[in-house]
């Protein structure tokens, strides 16, 4: 299933990676995770990958003199696995223009807000502090700006009066876990 192979890039918990793996197991997503890449050796996403025998590679940013040097190492690994799509799932590094251009139209990102509102790494906290009544989830193609690019799917999450960052994040995650496999399926089916 080479042309339905994907790489998932993660830096942390990997709950979205798990949602993708679960959707594949339940045959709701016709894809294969060929590779997991992390910039963080402590990412729990690596444990999730090992549990289902998916090759997982840690690339330590401290070993590279520049962002592009890191990205060139990532690209070499991606090439070796011949994936069609790269799904960023909580990958907290900015990709270099070189990498984004090389994989133009083949990199997806999921973000816990309704972009273009609240880009960055504290989207849930920022939305709560701003006082929005509705936030949500965005899946988009990646371009050279952070949390930016053509939007593929979005879904709303209402903010409740007593929400904390934790309670809101929990509901956002629930939606992310449904939307990301769906978005990946649409791209792999060529419907986009
Ligand atoms: C997800 O909520 C994702 O939307 C967010 O990181 C989390 C990773 O969770 N990404 C961003 O904020 C990108 N700017 P996970 O590791 O449990 O999938």
């Amino acid at each position: 299933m080479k042309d339905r192979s994907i790489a998932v890039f993660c830096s942390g918990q990997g709950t979205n990676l798990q949602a993708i793996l679960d959707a594949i197991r339940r045959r709701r997503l016709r894809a294969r995770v060929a590779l997991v890449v992390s910039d963080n050796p402590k990412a729990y996403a690596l444990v999730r990958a090992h549990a289902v025998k998916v090759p997982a590679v840690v690339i330590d940013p401290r070993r590279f003199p520049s962002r592009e040097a890191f990205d060139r190492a990532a690209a070499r690994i991606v090439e070796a696995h011949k994936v069609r799509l790269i799904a960023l799932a909580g990958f907290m590094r900015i990709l270099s223009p070189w990498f984004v251009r090389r994989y133009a139209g083949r990199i997806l990102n999921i973000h816990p807000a309704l972009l273009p509102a609240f880009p960055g790494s504290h989207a849930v906290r920022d939305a709560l502090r701003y006082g929005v009544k509705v936030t949500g989830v965005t899946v988009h193609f990646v371009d050279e700006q952070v949390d930016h690019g053509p939007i593929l799917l979005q879904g709303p999450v209402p903010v409740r009066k007593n929400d904390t960052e934790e309670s809101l994040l929990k509901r956002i995650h629930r939606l992310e876990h449904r939307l990301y496999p769906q978005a990946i399926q649409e791209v792999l089916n060529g419907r986009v």
Side-chain angles (χ1 to χ4, degrees):
M1 212 184 0
K2 274 220 165 53
D3 57 337
R4 302 187 76 87
S5 293
I6 67 171
V8 184
F9 282 29
C10 312
S11 302
Q13 276 299 311
T15 65
N16 279 286
L17 167 66
Q18 191 64 55
I20 292 165
L21 292 168
D22 290 348
I24 292 171
R25 186 168 44 82
R26 294 187 187 126
R27 295 175 196 279
R28 278 195 285 114
L29 170 58
R30 251 169 51 76
R32 184 173 76 95
V33 179
L35 171 69
V36 168
V37 172
S38 181
D39 59 334
N40 172 14
K42 295 200 180 114
Y44 191 71
L46 295 167
V47 176
R48 298 181 194 272
H50 289 312
V52 290
K53 300 191 167 55
V54 168
V57 180
V58 177
I59 310 174
D60 185 347
R62 287 169 303 187
R63 284 182 36 228
F64 298 90
S66 67
R67 193 173 293 287
E68 191 175 308
F70 175 98
D71 286 358
R72 283 182 184 272
R76 278 195 294 278
I77 293 160
V78 166
E79 295 306 311
H81 286 80
K82 307 227 180 313
V83 302
R84 168 137 160 236
L85 198 65
I86 297 170
L88 309 183
F91 188 64
M92 295 316 206
R93 272 183 73 79
I94 297 169
L95 294 168
S96 61
W98 177 84
F99 192 91
V100 173
R101 267 183 240 131
R102 182 178 179 107
Y103 295 103
R106 291 171 60 198
I107 313 173
L108 291 182
N109 182 39
I110 188 156
H111 184 73
L114 292 173
L115 291 173
F118 310 115
S121 49
H122 304 291
V124 179
R125 187 191 309 166
D126 293 347
L128 208 51
R129 282 198 183 147
Y130 198 90
V132 294
K133 304 297 176 207
V134 179
T135 182
V137 171
T138 303
V139 181
H140 64 98
F141 287 101
V142 170
D143 69 12
E144 291 178 29
Q145 294 175 55
V146 177
D147 293 326
H148 192 271
I151 291 173
L152 185 54
L153 281 182
Q154 275 186 321
V157 176
V159 180
R160 293 178 188 157
K161 230 171 89 210
N162 298 321
D163 258 332
T164 59
E165 196 178 332
E166 200 188 350
S167 63
L168 181 56
L169 180 64
K170 203 165 159 195
R171 294 203 308 290
I172 286 177
H173 264 161
R174 226 177 283 148
L175 180 60
E176 285 191 334
H177 299 164
R178 259 194 307 121
L179 282 192
Y180 214 3
Q182 192 183 326
I184 292 167
Q185 182 74 80
E186 286 189 12
V187 175
L188 292 178
N189 285 352
R191 257 187 269 137
V192 181

